[in-house]
Amino acid sequence: QVQLVESGGGLVQAGGSLRLSCGAAGFDFNRYAMGWFRQAPGKEREFVATISGVGITIKYADSVKGRFTISRDNAKNTVYLQMNSLKPEDTAVYYCAAAQILTLRNEYGYWGQGTQVTVSS
């Protein structure tokens, strides 16, 4: 059974940092691209970052480039999202997702349940 479990969300002041983690099980983790998406209240889910199976290819949304870093540890079946210089507009539920082919689109086969990130001004 495929499982993606996010953790690390919370409440932080603007300018602060958070590190999200996503543990994976039930599929061949190092063969899958892993992505982070987010959804703010009243908005559609949007792409944040993605990383290929062995970490060679990484893509970011323009809105987070230079502030967020995606990484993965295939030995631990875990993907991370380090978020620095957080802004109130980063407030959203953050989801990790897995796909057989790296994409920036919402076309991921497996999704986690999400973790809330709230940035206060």
Side-chain angles (χ1 to χ4, degrees), residues 1 5 28 32-33 44 50 56-57 60 62 65-66 72 75 77-78 89 99 106 117 120-121:
Q1 182 180 358
V5 180
D28 199 351
Y32 278 69
E44 293 188 352
T50 187
I56 293 175
T57 302
Y60 294 100
D62 288 343
K65 206 170 290 183
R72 65 189 295 159
N77 281 13
T78 301
E89 51 264 42
N106 228 342
V117 171
S120 63
S121 56

Side-chain angles (χ1 to χ4, degrees), residues 80-102:
Y80 305 96
L81 186 68
Q82 178 67 44
M83 306 186 294
N84 298 329
S85 302
L86 283 161
K87 304 175 181 179
E89 51 264 42
D90 293 319
T91 295
V93 177
Y94 283 71
Y95 299 89
C96 75
Q100 290 185 300
I101 298 174
L102 186 143

Side-chain angles (χ1 to χ4, degrees), residues 12-109:
V12 64
Q13 288 188 331
S17 298
L18 282 175
R19 188 195 196 202
L20 305 184
S21 300
C22 174
F27 62 98
D28 199 351
F29 183 75
N30 63 2
R31 291 183 178 272
Y32 278 69
M34 297 299 297
W36 285 98
F37 289 75
R38 66 186 182 187
Q39 187 167 21
K43 295 188 177 181
E44 293 188 352
R45 188 160 54 189
E46 65 174 1
F47 166 77
V48 175
T50 187
I51 184 169
S52 61
V54 294
I56 293 175
T57 302
I58 292 175
K59 303 288 185 183
Y60 294 100
D62 288 343
S63 58
V64 307
K65 206 170 290 183
R67 300 188 298 123
F68 290 11
T69 302
I70 189 172
S71 62
R72 65 189 295 159
D73 185 340
N74 285 354
K76 295 182 178 180
N77 281 13
T78 301
V79 62
Y80 305 96
L81 186 68
Q82 178 67 44
M83 306 186 294
N84 298 329
S85 302
L86 283 161
K87 304 175 181 179
E89 51 264 42
D90 293 319
T91 295
V93 177
Y94 283 71
Y95 299 89
C96 75
Q100 290 185 300
I101 298 174
L102 186 143
T103 176
L104 278 61
R105 298 187 176 194
N106 228 342
E107 299 168 350
Y108 283 65

